[in-house]
Amino acid sequence: ETAMKLVVRRVSLLLAVLQLLATASCKPTQEPAAIPTAEPNALRAASVNPTPLEIAFGRGNPTEVVPVIEQTWEKQYEEYFRRSFPDASITAKDVADTLNRIATQTGTKPALIYVVPQKQHLELVLITPGNPPIHKRISAANKEALLQEVKELSKTVTDPNQRNTTNYLPPAQQLYQWMVAPVEPELQTQGIDTLIFCMGAGLRTLPLAVLQDGQKFLAEKYSLTRIPAFKLTDTIYGDLRNSQVLAMGASEFKEQQPLPAVPVELSAIAQ
């Protein structure tokens, strides 16, 4: 009898445990609280402080952008050369008025194009003589894609093994579509014949002359020049047609690709 009671107790205990487990398994479990998620752009904006250039372009007023571009690039050159430049402010109107004066003095029609690479897109700011700036944003030309095309173009035009090929044309034409085509209707309307490029980091050694619209090279359509920043450029005009010219250049470098055409260019300039 005692043994029977012990067995009954153990069976009862076992049944109680099984019932408890069954009850627990049937009870709905509380799902963990969902972690709020944000759109990728919101996360990116929250994690990275926008630069002064991004803030300026975000306001949608190209007149306000020009002084910020000039200030930003002046600072980059100061850091590179490890020296301070004169702290002179410049506005979009200053640039437009200077271009107008140069047009009157030279009989040409110059235009300034700021080419500003950004992470998500390319920004273009066009200033023509006496006119307010025009802003174009090229979404397809994010910084990664843009610099890849620049790298490919530079490689194909400096590689001696590709000298007699047309491998340079795809990047040359793509860069033309991104950097010139968006503002070309305005250039044609105003009869612009001279382009002054002011380029952002990663673009400052780009061979502009070889950019092509599918039929003509950029150098066949416009006179070209490149400046570090408008405020760092001497814009006082002087007639050089009867002046002696000292032509200098380098065709081989320790850390850069060679430029085999430099001797030919120097000979043409000297003549």
Side-chain angles (χ1 to χ4, degrees), residues 70-89 228-229 231-233:
E70 290 283 332
Q71 184 179 18
T72 300
W73 290 352
E74 179 185 30
K75 184 177 179 181
Q76 291 175 359
Y77 283 106
E78 285 180 335
E79 292 174 352
Y80 180 82
F81 289 107
R82 298 181 181 178
R83 57 169 295 184
S84 296
F85 298 128
D87 187 15
S89 61
K231 66 190 298 185
L232 300 179
T233 304

Side-chain angles (χ1 to χ4, degrees), residues 174-192:
Q174 181 61 78
L175 290 169
Y176 188 100
Q177 291 303 311
W178 285 344
M179 296 171 51
V180 181
V183 298
E184 194 146 41
E186 192 66 30
L187 300 178
Q188 294 173 349
T189 298
Q190 298 196 36
I192 299 299

Side-chain angles (χ1 to χ4, degrees), residues 124-138:
L124 302 177
V125 178
L126 170 69
I127 304 181
T128 56
N131 295 307
I134 297 171
H135 172 225
K136 299 290 183 180
R137 173 171 292 172
I138 297 82

Side-chain angles (χ1 to χ4, degrees), residues 37-48:
T37 59
E39 293 295 328
N41 289 340
L43 287 175
R44 190 180 299 112
S47 60
V48 180

Side-chain angles (χ1 to χ4, degrees), residues 105-179:
Q105 293 173 329
T106 63
T108 62
K109 287 295 292 292
L112 174 66
I113 303 177
Y114 290 103
V115 185
V116 187
Q118 300 279 58
K119 185 174 182 180
Q120 300 300 324
H121 40 251
L122 176 66
E123 310 277 16
L124 302 177
V125 178
L126 170 69
I127 304 181
T128 56
N131 295 307
I134 297 171
H135 172 225
K136 299 290 183 180
R137 173 171 292 172
I138 297 82
S139 299
N142 62 70
K143 193 169 187 178
E144 181 179 358
L146 176 67
L147 295 185
Q148 180 58 39
E149 294 291 342
V150 170
K151 180 180 178 181
E152 183 64 21
L153 178 59
S154 298
K155 182 179 72 173
T156 54
V157 298
T158 58
D159 183 358
N161 296 324
Q162 302 186 57
R163 186 174 300 174
N164 295 320
T165 72
T166 57
N167 294 340
Y168 64 91
L169 281 177
Q173 292 173 357
Q174 181 61 78
L175 290 169
Y176 188 100
Q177 291 303 311
W178 285 344
M179 296 171 51

